[in-house]
Amino acid sequence: MRIRDVEFAYGRHQVLRGIDLDVAPGTVCALLGPNGSGKSTLTKILAGVLRTRHGSVRLGHTDLLRMRPRERAKVVAYVPQSSEVPFELTVREAVTLGRTPHMGMRPAARDLAVVESAVARLGLTELAERRLSDLSGGQAQRVLIARALAQEPRVLLLDEPTSALDLRYQVETLQIVRQVAREEGVAALIAIHDLNHAATFCQQVVLLSGGRLVADGPATEAYDAELLGRVYGLPVEVLHDAGQTQVRPVLGPLA
C-alpha cells in the first residue's frame, strides 16, 4: 500500500500534512504519536470514513480513496475504537456481517467456513451464541476484530484495538494480527499508544507529530530518545537488548 501526500483538515484546523507512507504486504505497521497527532484521522481516511481530496492511497493500481464503499470493503477492513454493531446480535451473527461485501442473499458454505475460522482464531467459539450485550468490553472488541478478519481483507486497519483489553488479550490480539498479516499477506496498520507493544509486535513503526510523519522504520532505527522525548513532551530512554527495543520514561525525583 502506497500513501502519497495525504492531507486533511477539520475546517481551518490542519490535522494531516503531506503524509507519505509505504506498507508492504505481510507487514504490521504501528501508527504512533500523542493524542491529536493524526493517527485515528489517518486510519479513518484509509477506511473511507473520512474523505480527503488531497493525496492518493494505492493498492496495486487501484486508488482506495476513489473506490465505492462495497468494493473497498472487499479489500479493506476497519476496526474502530467503538462500533454500531447491534447488541442484540449473537457473536456468530456479528462476525458474519464481515462477509456482507462477498455474499449474495444468503451466506454460502465458504462464507460460513470463513466465519467459523475467524471466531475460533479470536478464541470466541464458546461465546459464539452469546449476545453482544452480554459480553465484556474486551470480549466485544475481539468480536469486532473477528468480523474484520472475516472480510478477508488485503488491508487491515485497527484504531487502538487493545485499549479495552487486559494484558493477556492485548498480547494475544497483537500476535493474531501479526500472524494474519504474515500468513495472508495483509498490510496491517494499528493506531496504538503503547510504544513497547509496537516495538515487540510490529515490523514497522511510524511516528506522527503535529500531523507530520517524523519517523518511519523498524523500532530499532525509528526510536530515538531525543525525538520521542520531544514529540511526547517527556524525557525517555531507549534500550536495545537481545533484539528487543524498550522505551522507558526518565523520572525525576518525587516532589
Side-chain angles (χ1 to χ4, degrees):
M1 181 170 60
R2 299 186 302 276
I3 301 170
R4 292 292 179 271
D5 202 24
V6 167
E7 298 191 355
F8 188 83
Y10 292 102
R12 295 183 179 181
H13 177 56
Q14 194 76 21
V15 180
L16 295 176
R17 306 170 185 270
I19 300 297
D20 291 335
L21 175 62
D22 292 340
V23 182
T27 298
V28 182
C29 174
L31 297 177
L32 301 167
N35 291 333
S37 61
K39 302 186 303 297
S40 293
T41 298
L42 180 57
T43 59
K44 288 177 181 178
I45 289 172
L46 300 178
V49 176
L50 296 176
R51 297 180 62 86
T52 178
R53 296 181 180 179
H54 201 286
S56 65
V57 180
R58 295 200 171 275
L59 189 64
H61 297 293
T62 303
D63 189 346
L64 296 181
L65 301 185
R66 308 294 178 252
M67 295 180 75
R68 294 182 178 181
R70 185 179 179 88
E71 294 305 308
R72 184 191 296 111
K74 292 179 180 179
V75 294
V76 179
Y78 173 51
V79 181
Q81 293 184 45
S82 60
S83 177
E84 297 180 355
V85 175
F87 277 87
E88 67 272 12
L89 293 181
T90 67
V91 168
R92 182 175 284 109
E93 289 169 340
V95 176
T96 302
L97 289 177
R99 297 301 298 167
T100 301
H102 303 279
M103 291 191 315
M105 294 296 293
R106 297 174 61 85
R110 169 165 170 71
D111 297 314
L112 297 176
V114 170
V115 168
E116 292 307 314
S117 175
V119 167
R121 208 165 202 172
L122 269 296
L124 297 167
T125 301
E126 294 184 359
L127 303 175
E129 299 305 321
R130 295 265 300 273
R131 298 194 180 278
L132 297 190
S133 57
D134 296 330
L135 303 184
S136 68
Q139 290 169 332
Q141 182 71 2
R142 284 190 285 145
V143 174
L144 297 181
I145 296 172
R147 182 185 67 174
L149 296 186
Q151 289 179 238
E152 295 186 299
R154 293 174 62 191
V155 175
L156 178 61
L157 308 170
L158 302 104
D159 192 356
E160 299 187 29
T162 59
S163 60
L165 304 180
D166 62 29
L167 180 59
R168 171 191 168 187
Y169 285 121
Q170 287 180 28
V171 170
E172 289 186 0
T173 297
L174 293 171
Q175 286 177 325
I176 289 167
V177 172
R178 187 171 61 178
Q179 181 182 22
V180 168
R182 182 178 65 249
E183 294 179 355
E184 311 296 337
V186 171
L189 282 82
I190 304 178
I192 189 170
H193 280 296
D194 193 312
L195 297 172
N196 293 320
H197 278 356
T200 300
F201 296 102
C202 302
Q203 301 97 321
Q204 179 180 3
V205 298
V206 169
L207 181 63
L208 298 175
S209 178
R212 299 185 186 277
L213 193 155
V214 296
D216 178 11
T220 52
E221 300 174 9
Y223 281 6
D224 175 80
E226 182 180 351
L227 175 62
L228 290 174
R230 188 164 64 248
V231 168
Y232 285 96
L234 177 74
V236 301
E237 59 179 353
V238 178
L239 307 176
H240 303 287
D241 182 42
Q244 295 292 317
T245 299
Q246 187 175 34
V247 178
R248 295 178 181 174
V250 177
L251 303 177
L254 296 177

